[in-house]
Amino acid sequence: MSDFLKIQGLQARIDADGTPKDILKGLDLEVPKGEVHVIMGPNGSGKSTLSYVLAGRDDYEVTGGSATFKGQDLLALEPEERAALGLFLAFQSPVELPGVNNANFLRTAVNAVRRARGEAELDAVAFLKAVRAETKHLSMSDDMLKRAVNVGFSGGEKKRNEVLQMRLLQPSFAILDETDSGLDIDALRIVAEGVNSLRSPDFSALVITHHQRLLDYIVPDRVHVMAHGRIIHSGGPDIAKTLEKQGYTQFLEAAA
Amino acid sequence: MPAVTETRETVEKLAKSSYEWGFETDIEMDIAPKGLSEETVRLISERKGEPQWMLEWRLKAFRAWLQMEEPGWAHIHHPPIDYQDAHYFAQPKKKPGPKSLDEVDPELLKTYAKLGIPLHEQALLAGVEGAEEQRLPVAVDAVFDSVSVATTFRKTLAEAGVIFCPISDAIREYPELVRKYLGTVVPIVDNFFAALNSAVFTDGSFVYIPEGVRCPMELSTYFRINARNTGQFERTLIIAEDRATVSYLEGCTAPQRDENQLHAAVVELIAMEDASIKYSTVQNWYPGDDEGRGGIYNFVTKRGICRGARSKISWTQVETGSAITWKYPSCVLAGEGSVGEFYSVAVTNNHQQADTGTKMIHLAPNTRSTIIAKTISAGHSDSTYRGLVRMQPKARNARNFTQCDSLLIGDQCGAHTVPYIESRNMTARVEHEATTSKISEDQLFYCRSRGLSEEDAVGLIVNGFCREVLKELPMEFAVEAQKLLQISLEGSVG
Ligand SMILES: Nc1ncnc2c1ncn2[C@@H]1O[C@H](COP(=O)(O)OP(=O)(O)OP(=O)(O)O)[C@@H](O)[C@H]1O
Ligand SMILES: [Mg+2]
């Protein structure tokens, strides 16, 4: 189905201390059902902005274009409605919630989403079982469940915690914003495995990364190059290798 | 639209949804006419069947009160209170009081059911998630208006030698104990509201834990104001003898009504050598409508004295109700090495005003105190934390640690921290930390992107903010307190 996630001419701006700043400038992108796509692009090109706009962060103002997900107007939904619909964003910088017990946070989130999807809520026992299976998978210590959400977590622990949330919330479309950054090589493999094992005809992902090496672990269906708020080039996994060797210059020149 | 604006609007919208527990129970009442005079004091004493010394004590208090003035220093504003425009005595007509739950007016039980108050042990012992530590069963002394009508668990307590009864029963049955301790921590003339309470108090609890006894259950009183325009004057006295331990829970809700209601309670705690008293409060009185009309005025004097060496008094409170709260649970640390603790969460919303805090008076060497105060303000509310730490000349090596954190929701509310530190001993050490924060857009968005509604997100963040205090509460109270926080900020947080 081609209109699983469909973005057309998307424009968005942010209020930067009183002056509006355009960041997305007519972005087109489609991610079909069951596919994993990668976005690469220079710092500041708007990759995180795209992920925030898709997830529903309201300090970005959408000034043009459209985004539909499963046939629905994504931009008209509240963030929690998007989550219920199956969208998940693994944050580039996960947010700390002081005093909020991680296990409690996860369970509240899982049950909120299950309720919205018309599924039965998990009781404490069922939830703990599910969570323990996942933490084991991701080589996370139980200690991280008892701590406050992301507070004092190392960079790598935060990223793993994002992947844990993704796996528990069972999205049909996940955006991973530089989830591989700051991971050691073992963690990288574990996280990649966390994504790969979700791959199915019913699961799609948009993976934002700066590192070609991630693509050794997660083999994408397509790679997009983003610059200045647009997708300027799309192709197969081999684009990433070209980028690694030659940088963005040739794509930027071709697009200019 | 920034989340705070939205939040404020939601608060305003939701505040209009009526107070969840604002209902009135239809029970026949025996009510004294409005007004306060020596006559009223005599009537109360007579209705309670009190001995002469008690009447004289009350009259002394009443005469002192006539000479006193309402304190004007708290950071709160209210129309003048007409002390003549209230009833000072009201009790359900059914007399004498029931001896067991079966005899209790079914209307009353229905009220408790509505409040979700668990009168039966089974309900109390029903598993609560996360209950890791071993929990004690709870004995409930329910105060309905001015008279305690149902007391459970009396037998188990009696076997342990613990006395837990309405204070009016104690005045008749244990006069020597009451006479020995009543007014020793909060003297009659301590302050305007304490004097008023001493003159007209109609009920409250009396707890006596004999030497070496660890009270076999949590003791719990649910307060509730039910008669229209009845001032509520509770008097609670708790005594823990050497090496005795007790945990006491106090909670309350009140029905919605139009006129402001005065509540002036006095609580006195006395801990002897190596004794420990833990006093926990979840307070949820009617805060008034969104303009603050009709809420409870809550002027409370709570004070404990650590008389014996190494004794400990710990106050934990979650305050979400009242139009006006004026309350400073305090510890007088008179025993060498004694410990005072104060853990507090105060939530204000709409037009609520709260002026709360604590006093830690260090009299003896090596005494220690800890103050953790969390303040959450939303809507147009205003909250002040006022804390006094006093190190007296003999308080060698005394220590205090104070932490005050404020969380603001929206930009129309206020939070103030007013620490008073008086140190008269060079070796004493006082530490004070304070923070003010807002719930950030980042935090809200993070939670919502995980499927939480904005309201649940705020609830979660607020509960996280209060964690250090909530974890001090006994388990069943902690669960109730979390619910209350959520309800009181409903929409506020929207
Ligand atoms: N709140 C803001 N105020 C001002 N400028 C902003 C704000 N948020 C984003 N920007 C700007 O928008 C542009 C795009 O930022 P974005 O975070 O989307 O880039 P990115 O492609 O994710 O970069 P990176 O690879 O470094 O993560 C940047 O120039 C950034 O400075
Ligand atoms: Mg980025």
Side-chain angles (χ1 to χ4, degrees):
Chain A
M1 205 169 47
S2 67
D3 58 354
F4 182 67
L5 178 82
K6 188 169 188 172
I7 303 168
Q8 284 181 307
L10 189 62
Q11 298 178 20
R13 62 162 60 143
I14 190 149
D15 175 41
D17 291 324
T19 31
K21 176 172 177 181
D22 292 310
I23 302 173
L24 300 183
K25 301 168 184 167
L27 182 139
D28 299 307
L29 177 69
E30 276 185 45
V31 181
K33 204 170 163 186
E35 292 192 5
V36 171
H37 288 203
V38 162
I39 291 187
M40 302 182 89
N43 295 133
S45 55
K47 303 179 298 295
S48 294
T49 301
L50 172 64
S51 68
Y52 284 144
V53 169
L54 293 179
R57 196 178 166 127
D58 68 1
D59 34 11
Y60 294 94
E61 186 194 349
V62 175
T63 49
S66 66
T68 57
F69 178 49
K70 297 180 178 173
Q72 292 204 41
D73 177 4
L74 192 59
L75 303 176
L77 302 177
E78 296 294 334
E80 58 270 31
E81 294 171 326
R82 303 182 197 202
L85 198 59
L87 184 117
F88 180 86
L89 168 62
F91 283 54
Q92 182 173 359
S93 315
V95 180
E96 299 185 359
L97 302 176
V100 179
N101 173 274
N102 201 22
N104 185 30
F105 173 70
L106 293 169
R107 185 173 165 216
T108 309
V110 166
N111 281 336
V113 161
R114 290 182 72 94
R115 222 180 303 127
R117 291 177 189 161
E119 297 165 13
E121 293 185 29
L122 296 183
D123 64 23
V125 177
F127 170 76
L128 276 178
K129 220 175 129 193
V131 133
R132 292 246 157 83
E134 294 296 350
T135 49
K136 207 171 146 219
H137 218 74
L138 295 167
S139 305
M140 290 169 73
S141 71
D142 271 6
D143 179 52
M144 286 178 57
L145 294 174
K146 292 182 192 138
R147 286 162 60 182
V149 180
N150 294 324
V151 177
F153 285 21
S154 74
E157 285 169 342
K158 284 184 182 171
K159 297 301 173 76
R160 276 188 229 203
N161 200 41
E162 294 292 289
V163 175
L164 172 65
Q165 293 179 49
M166 173 180 76
R167 297 190 56 95
L168 289 169
L169 292 173
Q170 303 181 329
S172 44
F173 178 63
I175 305 166
L176 293 103
D177 190 358
E178 294 197 32
T179 305
D180 58 324
S181 296
L183 292 183
D184 63 45
I185 199 75
D186 291 336
L188 183 64
R189 201 177 293 127
I190 290 164
V191 164
E193 164 55 21
V195 176
N196 284 332
S197 61
L198 287 179
R199 286 183 89 153
S200 81
D202 296 317
F203 175 78
S204 307
L206 188 60
V207 179
I208 297 169
T209 183
H210 287 295
H211 305 291
Q212 192 275 328
R213 68 168 186 183
L214 176 67
L215 309 191
D216 294 340
Y217 299 100
I218 300 176
V219 182
D221 295 290
R222 260 182 110 64
V223 175
H224 307 277
V225 180
M226 182 165 179
H228 306 305
R230 281 193 201 98
I231 301 295
I232 57 166
H233 188 85
S234 300
D238 44 313
I239 300 184
K241 296 219 170 66
T242 317
L243 277 178
E244 183 98 327
K245 282 199 212 85
Q246 301 170 4
Y248 291 105
T249 333
Q250 77 167 95
F251 295 108
L252 288 170
E253 280 166 2
Chain B
M1 182 163 52
V4 283
T5 318
E6 236 174 314
T7 297
R8 205 177 59 241
E9 287 172 5
T10 324
V11 177
E12 282 158 8
K13 200 169 68 215
L14 274 163
K16 294 198 171 67
S17 74
S18 54
Y19 179 63
E20 190 188 45
W21 290 332
F23 46 82
E24 240 175 274
T25 309
D26 189 13
I27 288 185
E28 270 194 278
M29 302 291 288
D30 177 12
I31 298 181
K34 274 188 184 175
L36 181 52
S37 63
E38 267 200 36
E39 281 302 282
T40 325
V41 175
R42 285 176 194 280
L43 176 100
I44 290 169
S45 192
E46 184 238 291
R47 287 292 168 91
K48 291 275 170 193
E50 287 175 354
Q52 185 64 23
W53 64 265
M54 192 65 233
L55 172 64
E56 272 154 25
W57 196 86
R58 285 178 183 281
L59 289 172
K60 204 169 126 199
F62 178 70
R63 288 171 197 139
W65 178 73
L66 287 177
Q67 308 300 316
M68 297 170 86
E69 278 184 36
E70 242 180 84
W73 46 266
H75 195 99
I76 50 182
H77 311 276
H78 57 82
I81 298 168
D82 181 356
Y83 293 93
Q84 297 307 327
D85 189 33
H87 299 278
Y88 286 84
F89 183 75
Q91 69 179 11
K93 262 197 181 135
K94 195 166 177 249
K95 287 205 87 184
K99 289 282 168 284
S100 80
L101 274 183
D102 307 335
E103 290 175 39
V104 174
D105 189 328
E107 274 294 316
L108 202 61
L109 290 179
K110 258 192 259 164
T111 305
Y112 291 131
K114 270 192 255 177
L115 286 170
I117 294 174
L119 279 172
H120 298 279
E121 185 174 7
Q122 303 90 292
L124 290 162
L125 292 176
V128 178
E129 186 213 336
E132 271 155 36
E133 65 249 66
Q134 184 206 334
R135 287 180 302 121
L136 295 169
V138 179
V140 180
D141 177 18
V143 178
F144 190 80
D145 265 277
S146 311
V147 179
S148 294
V149 288
T151 300
T152 50
F153 294 93
R154 270 206 188 175
K155 227 177 104 231
T156 322
L157 292 172
E159 277 161 15
V162 171
I163 304 170
F164 175 41
C165 66
I167 196 151
S168 41
D169 291 4
I171 290 167
R172 288 189 303 267
E173 290 164 34
Y174 312 97
E176 62 301 331
L177 276 179
V178 176
R179 209 172 170 177
K180 183 170 169 195
Y181 292 107
L182 189 71
T184 59
V185 192
V186 179
I188 285 175
V189 294
D190 187 81
N191 67 70
F192 181 83
F193 298 111
L196 177 62
N197 173 286
S198 303
V200 301
F201 75 85
T202 45
D203 223 319
S205 300
F206 177 78
V207 176
Y208 180 82
I209 317 288
E211 204 175 311
V213 172
R214 168 175 288 268
C215 185
M217 55 185 70
E218 311 261 6
L219 303 180
S220 162
T221 298
Y222 280 87
F223 289 83
R224 188 171 151 74
I225 299 177
N226 202 63
R228 206 164 269 280
N229 301 328
T230 312
Q232 184 96 6
F233 302 92
E234 300 290 339
R235 184 93 193 186
T236 293
L237 178 58
I238 300 177
I239 302 138
E241 293 283 12
D242 292 356
R243 300 181 314 285
T245 300
V246 63
S247 167
Y248 186 89
L249 323 178
E250 167 203 34
C252 64
T253 61
Q256 184 161 356
R257 59 192 55 252
D258 300 322
E259 284 145 82
N260 286 307
Q261 278 193 305
L262 177 63
H263 186 102
V266 172
V267 176
E268 298 179 278
L269 311 182
I270 298 156
M272 308 306 248
E273 214 169 280
D274 291 302
S276 156
I277 302 177
K278 187 174 174 64
Y279 193 105
S280 312
T281 308
V282 172
Q283 192 264 102
N284 179 35
W285 282 343
Y286 179 55
D289 61 14
D290 37 7
E291 298 287 303
R293 271 186 310 253
I296 304 281
Y297 289 5
N298 188 29
F299 302 101
V300 182
T301 307
K302 287 182 165 173
R303 192 176 305 153
I305 182 164
C306 286
R307 276 210 201 165
R310 297 168 306 277
S311 57
K312 177 175 170 183
I313 288 180
S314 179
W315 300 99
T316 305
Q317 57 177 33
V318 175
E319 304 272 340
T320 65
S322 296
I324 295 178
T325 302
W326 178 94
K327 180 175 173 183
Y328 314 89
S330 308
C331 297
V332 178
L333 303 172
E336 179 154 1
S338 60
V339 175
E341 293 174 341
F342 175 75
Y343 299 97
S344 156
V345 171
V347 182
T348 52
N349 199 354
N350 296 323
H351 287 263
Q352 276 176 281
Q353 303 171 53
D355 194 303
T356 66
T358 186
K359 292 179 203 165
M360 293 291 173
I361 312 294
H362 293 251
L363 300 180
N366 301 315
T367 46
R368 281 177 291 133
S369 62
T370 302
I371 299 171
I372 310 278
K374 305 274 181 178
T375 306
I376 300 151
S377 314
H380 290 83
S381 68
D382 203 61
S383 187
T384 301
Y385 169 80
R386 200 182 288 278
L388 169 69
V389 177
R390 180 183 291 152
M391 301 296 189
Q392 293 291 64
K394 286 190 183 142
R396 250 181 308 107
N397 293 320
R399 296 279 176 271
N400 163 266
F401 174 74
T402 299
Q403 186 184 319
C404 301
D405 299 316
S406 311
L407 186 69
L408 303 176
I409 301 176
D411 50 11
Q412 314 259 323
C413 52
H416 319 267
T417 299
V418 192
Y420 303 87
I421 297 166
E422 299 170 8
S423 187
R424 304 205 181 101
N425 186 301
M426 295 288 287
T427 61
R429 214 169 64 205
V430 178
E431 279 178 76
H432 182 96
E433 288 176 11
T435 65
T436 300
S437 52
K438 286 192 164 207
I439 293 185
S440 76
E441 300 274 345
D442 281 346
Q443 291 174 325
L444 283 179
F445 175 61
Y446 188 67
C447 293
R448 294 180 71 191
S449 77
R450 269 59 179 140
L452 272 65
S453 66
E454 191 162 15
E455 203 150 277
D456 287 348
V458 174
L460 202 69
I461 293 166
V462 164
N463 275 307
F465 173 75
C466 302
R467 205 189 57 94
E468 288 156 282
V469 174
L470 296 179
K471 76 176 168 44
E472 292 297 323
L473 288 173
M475 191 53 67
E476 39 282 277
F477 248 30
V479 172
E480 187 167 325
Q482 286 187 14
K483 266 195 308 207
L484 267 184
L485 285 180
Q486 192 115 3
I487 290 170
S488 59
L489 283 170
E490 206 142 86
S492 88
V493 289

